[in-house]
Amino acid sequence: MLPILQSEWFKLRKAKIVSVLFTGPLAGFLLGFTIHGDVPEGVNPWHILLLFMNVIYALLFLPLMTGVLAGLICRYEHQAGGWKQLLTLPVTRGKVFTGKYIILMALVLFIQLLYLGAVYGVGWAKGFTEPFPLEIVWKSIFGGWIASFPLVALQLWMSILFKNFAAPLAVNAVFTLPAILAVQSERFGPYYPWGQPFLMMYIGGGDGVFFVPWEQLLLVVGGSFLVFFLGGYIYFQRKAV
Amino acid sequence: MEFIIETSGLTKKFGKDTAVSGLNMKVPKGEVYGFLGPNGAGKTTTIRMLLGLMKPTSGTIHIFQKDLQKERISILKRVGSLVEQPSYYPHLTGYENLEAIRKILGVPEKRIAAVLELVGLSDAAHKKVKGYSLGMKQRLGIAASLLHDPELLILDEPTNGLDPSGMKEVRNLLKRLAEEEGKTIVISSHLLSEIDQVATTVGVLLKGKLIFQDSIAAMRKQAQQKIKLRVSDGEEAWRTLLSRGMKVDFKEGAVFLENASDEKAAEAVAVLVENGFAVYRVEEQKSSLEEIFLQMTKGERDK
């Protein structure tokens, strides 16, 4: 498995991914920096900041950028017979699929950490004096990462399926945009996979290990992860190359 | 004889269409196997199945006496391949393309420079492959197939897109690999002329069926050779030969001797000289692959 990961990372890091990694955190930073809300007495300004930044970052940029990354990690395989060459090497398709998925999840975690940096950066630039609510922020950062597991799996599947770079992105947008409405609904929000990054990063949520109840995490995030990951995995096994 | 590749009843159907039908392919160890057939005959489909890119509808494939279905990984570690049109990563340089593959194969880094040298790409090693000519991409593909020094090379139309001198280089390279390093090589082509100087064994595929499989010498024998005779009085000469019971034709002022062995040719010339004809030219008319195909398929239909 390790050689596959090394080879995959080697190919991907030469594919101009830096700007993609920074887009989401940068958008969050700019929004956080420009917005000026009144902070009510007794409320930690870090909380308000995080609430604002999450709206644009967790609801839009995080899900959309995972789609772009998944598209990039498959693009060079589609362009000029890459799949063919890769799969005639002594590798199994299962390992290739899992390898690409692991690389993507590692990058999403990296984006989340950049976002953490962006949040801290805004507060620092604005001169917040209150202590940084480390525990809450970590919960939000890791929650968002875990919520993106199924989304990345689906995007990887779609990116392998479509030779065209834009098609999987369109699929992603079609599911991501309604999340803006879905998360406002108490009935549908908890069940909508594309709304989960926002809900799991939303610091106003419950106070368990994450901001959403375990049932929701296992059922919605875990369930959709299984469906999307296995769907993509099985599709790739059978794909004619 | 030890067979490196042995398929049995290999068949691939796409819906109702049968692309490959009941193939019993046998590639002997150390040979250069020319896999011939017109475009669309099923060569690439067969090669894809040999490499496990595609599953056969029925039939089995054994490579190195191992079942491909069960031991694909251990087989592929010993196989280098190039499938249809060059495959490459356009955003990487030639060197980086090989590096991405090398990481998976786990061979020493110095192999990259060695194979680039072998195919004559050392100077272009650090240029992006999207700027390569088709011939350079093809050579990069051959370099990639040689990275792990495989025992078996499966090359699908490797001289596609190469200029005549590039073709000759590739042919010489393959010849050297087979003769000096004892590699077994399968090389597909739709042109006999591209492989008849390197191939030692030939398999001819037509409409998904292997209609011929033997040494290249046997194939040449099968291809009916004609001798073209230009003589002083063509028509009269033709009649004379005909009256001696010889299979001859008269076309465009020349006499054509069919199925001509050395003895037959000598006899015909002797008869002509004895009868006072002046013999200007005696030429062998080589059948092109297309003609051989036609002959072979004709034979197939007549049976």
Side-chain angles (χ1 to χ4, degrees):
Chain A
M1 192 75 211
L2 193 63
I4 292 180
L5 291 176
Q6 285 170 337
S7 174
E8 203 57 58
W9 172 236
F10 179 78
K11 291 183 280 183
L12 186 63
R13 77 185 159 89
K14 306 254 173 190
K16 300 189 180 108
I17 55 161
V18 176
S19 56
V20 179
L21 296 178
F22 279 88
T23 303
L26 196 67
F29 180 85
L30 290 178
L31 183 95
F33 192 69
T34 46
I35 225 157
H36 294 282
D38 291 329
V39 180
E41 266 316 292
V43 175
N44 188 335
W46 289 103
H47 290 191
I48 304 288
L49 179 66
L50 209 55
L51 281 173
F52 273 119
M53 284 175 70
N54 275 354
V55 172
I56 185 131
Y57 175 77
L59 212 46
L60 281 179
F61 278 89
L62 178 60
L64 290 179
M65 286 303 139
T66 59
V68 175
L69 283 176
L72 281 176
I73 210 170
C74 293
R75 185 160 181 240
Y76 46 73
E77 308 288 359
H78 284 301
Q79 276 173 330
W83 291 121
K84 226 166 42 189
Q85 188 166 55
L86 179 58
L87 297 176
T88 51
L89 297 175
V91 295
T92 63
R93 291 187 179 210
K95 280 188 181 166
V96 169
F97 183 85
T98 311
K100 284 189 185 283
Y101 185 76
I102 290 172
I103 298 273
L104 287 177
M105 286 319 304
L107 288 177
V108 173
L109 183 60
F110 180 71
I111 293 180
Q112 288 290 90
L113 296 177
L114 284 179
Y115 179 67
L116 170 66
V119 174
Y120 192 79
V122 172
W124 178 79
K126 287 192 169 179
F128 288 175
T129 49
E130 286 79 357
F132 188 62
L134 199 58
E135 199 188 331
I136 290 170
V137 174
W138 275 120
K139 219 161 119 173
S140 175
I141 294 294
F142 276 111
W145 183 57
I146 285 169
S148 66
F149 270 62
L151 275 51
V152 171
L154 180 76
Q155 283 312 123
L156 183 56
W157 179 4
M158 291 300 116
S159 300
I160 292 172
L161 179 69
F162 294 108
K163 212 175 162 161
N164 182 318
F165 186 68
L169 296 185
V171 172
N172 196 17
V174 162
F175 286 115
T176 299
L177 296 179
I180 298 167
L181 300 174
V183 294
Q184 295 176 43
S185 155
E186 274 181 39
R187 268 179 66 203
F188 301 113
Y191 300 102
Y192 195 64
W194 289 264
Q196 301 309 308
F198 178 79
L199 295 174
M200 288 193 72
M201 291 184 80
Y202 180 63
I203 56 170
D207 33 71
V209 178
F210 292 106
F211 294 123
V212 301
W214 278 109
E215 305 87 73
Q216 183 179 335
L217 180 65
L218 289 176
L219 188 75
V220 180
V221 177
S224 58
F225 166 73
L226 275 182
V227 170
F228 296 155
F229 188 86
L230 288 178
Y233 190 93
I234 292 166
Y235 168 76
F236 189 52
Q237 293 289 330
R238 297 175 180 190
K239 182 181 171 70
V241 175
Chain B
M1 207 187 292
E2 190 187 344
F3 294 115
I4 294 293
I5 300 180
E6 200 170 0
T7 74
S8 156
L10 188 65
T11 301
K12 179 73 190 181
K13 289 181 183 167
F14 296 109
K16 275 183 182 174
D17 293 331
T18 305
V20 172
S21 158
L23 228 58
N24 297 316
M25 193 177 175
K26 288 184 169 70
V27 178
K29 187 176 169 134
E31 301 271 315
V32 179
Y33 185 99
F35 194 33
L36 289 168
N39 291 326
K43 296 186 301 276
T44 297
T45 305
T46 306
I47 286 177
R48 288 184 170 199
M49 289 193 281
L50 291 179
L51 295 168
L53 286 178
M54 211 180 241
K55 285 207 169 72
T57 309
S58 61
T60 58
I61 299 170
H62 284 82
I63 299 181
F64 306 123
Q65 271 93 43
K66 292 178 184 173
D67 188 341
L68 181 68
Q69 197 102 43
K70 290 181 195 131
E71 297 179 65
R72 194 176 146 268
I73 299 285
S74 70
I75 290 171
L76 287 181
K77 277 186 185 155
R78 300 159 65 189
V79 179
S81 65
L82 178 75
V83 186
E84 225 192 358
Q85 296 142 15
S87 305
Y88 54 92
Y89 297 118
H91 69 297
L92 302 179
T93 66
Y95 191 95
E96 288 166 349
N97 262 274
L98 296 180
E99 175 64 11
I101 297 168
R102 187 201 68 84
K103 284 187 189 300
I104 291 178
L105 293 170
V107 295
E109 211 169 327
K110 62 174 194 278
R111 284 291 301 161
I112 297 179
V115 294
L116 282 171
E117 179 73 42
L118 209 56
V119 299
L121 275 181
S122 302
D123 292 341
H126 298 290
K127 288 190 183 119
K128 288 250 166 80
V129 177
K130 59 183 161 197
Y132 277 24
S133 69
L134 182 57
M136 290 163 84
K137 288 171 184 165
Q138 199 77 7
R139 281 186 282 163
L140 181 67
I142 294 172
S145 73
L146 292 171
L147 258 184
H148 52 313
D149 198 19
E151 294 160 59
L152 170 65
L153 272 176
I154 300 181
L155 308 173
D156 193 9
E157 307 256 1
T159 50
N160 207 354
L162 297 183
D163 54 20
S165 72
M167 263 184 216
K168 203 172 160 201
E169 272 170 40
V170 169
R171 273 201 293 265
N172 290 342
L173 173 64
L174 295 179
K175 223 176 203 171
R176 214 165 64 223
L177 291 171
E179 282 166 8
E180 290 170 19
E181 301 185 26
K183 293 190 194 307
T184 306
I185 303 175
V186 174
I187 158 173
S188 85
S189 180
H190 60 284
L191 295 169
L192 178 63
S193 58
E194 275 191 358
I195 61 148
D196 66 353
Q197 293 155 47
V198 283
T200 50
T201 306
V202 177
V204 177
L205 197 64
L206 196 96
K207 291 183 184 149
K209 284 187 180 140
L210 201 57
I211 58 167
F212 179 87
Q213 182 171 244
D214 208 330
S215 69
I216 190 139
M219 178 167 190
R220 290 223 174 87
K221 222 179 245 173
Q222 247 225 354
Q224 292 184 345
Q225 282 175 348
K226 278 186 193 170
I227 302 281
K228 181 183 179 186
L229 297 156
R230 266 193 49 222
V231 295
S232 48
D233 185 348
E235 198 163 356
E236 199 47 43
W238 170 59
R239 290 220 173 90
T240 309
L241 290 174
L242 213 56
S243 67
R244 298 287 177 112
M246 289 183 169
K247 274 191 169 176
V248 282
D249 250 334
F250 180 66
K251 259 189 290 182
E252 297 150 9
V255 177
F256 288 87
L257 193 62
E258 279 176 26
N259 268 335
S261 59
D262 289 350
E263 292 76 23
K264 281 264 169 69
E267 194 190 334
V269 172
V271 167
L272 292 173
V273 172
E274 274 165 29
N275 287 284
F277 294 100
V279 180
Y280 304 141
R281 294 275 193 283
V282 181
E283 294 167 348
E284 193 175 24
Q285 295 289 104
K286 275 196 178 166
S287 308
S288 69
L289 182 62
E290 278 60 39
E291 283 170 308
I292 297 172
F293 280 152
L294 283 176
Q295 284 168 15
M296 284 178 171
T297 45
K298 211 173 140 206
E300 193 85 337
R301 251 179 269 133
D302 292 348
K303 263 174 215 166

